[in-house]
Amino acid sequence: VFRIGSLADSDLIARSLRPFDLTICASPAYLARYGTPEMPDDLIDHQCLGYAFSLQSSEGRWRLVRGGEVHEVTIRNRLRISEARGLVTAALSDFGIAHVARSLVTDHYESGRLVEVLPDYQVESRPMHLLYVADRRPTPKVRTFINEVMRAFGP
């Protein structure tokens, strides 16, 4: 299984992968209508689109870093969903500013359909791991899968 974020103690073997990079983006039309945030605290007044980790709160915390200084902003989500591609679709449809995986929006940045918001700030990445059951004799399929994952996503 792949896990993004901090790991809890378990009996599973955890292999570190490269960090899961995030970005904050919006469509040019949304930014033309509502303005472009210049500071992290400006996000408070915007329509934000966040990933739903749980149903407990409509608020989320976005962490940005610049010059070693961490800026944590509590935003009110206009939309929270548990499917990252849905967040990208909402951003492309001018719904607001999305907090998503950079890999999902790279092509949209290149085409100009989405614009990186607060590009002078780095969105804090999250650790990513491959977890699997300890086995003295893993099957060739499992061993091959682990080796390919480490080759493709290793640190």
Side-chain angles (χ1 to χ4, degrees), residues 25 48-52 62 77 79-93 95-101 104-105 114:
C25 61
C48 293
L49 313 171
Y51 192 79
W62 294 0
N77 291 297
L79 175 67
R80 294 176 66 227
I81 53 179
S82 60
E83 213 297 306
R85 284 184 172 77
L87 288 175
V88 174
T89 299
L92 289 166
S93 301
F95 272 54
I97 298 175
H99 185 246
V100 295
L104 293 177
V105 296
L114 290 176

Side-chain angles (χ1 to χ4, degrees), residues 6 28 31 50 63 73 88 93 105-106 109 152:
S6 300
L31 296 174
R63 293 172 56 99
V73 180
V88 174
S93 301
V105 296
T106 302
Y109 282 171

Side-chain angles (χ1 to χ4, degrees), residues 106-126:
T106 302
D107 290 344
H108 298 300
Y109 282 171
E110 291 172 4
S111 70
R113 293 185 67 205
L114 290 176
V115 176
E116 187 169 11
V117 173
L118 299 169
D120 294 337
Y121 291 81
Q122 180 182 5
V123 180
E124 192 171 69
S125 62
R126 296 191 178 130

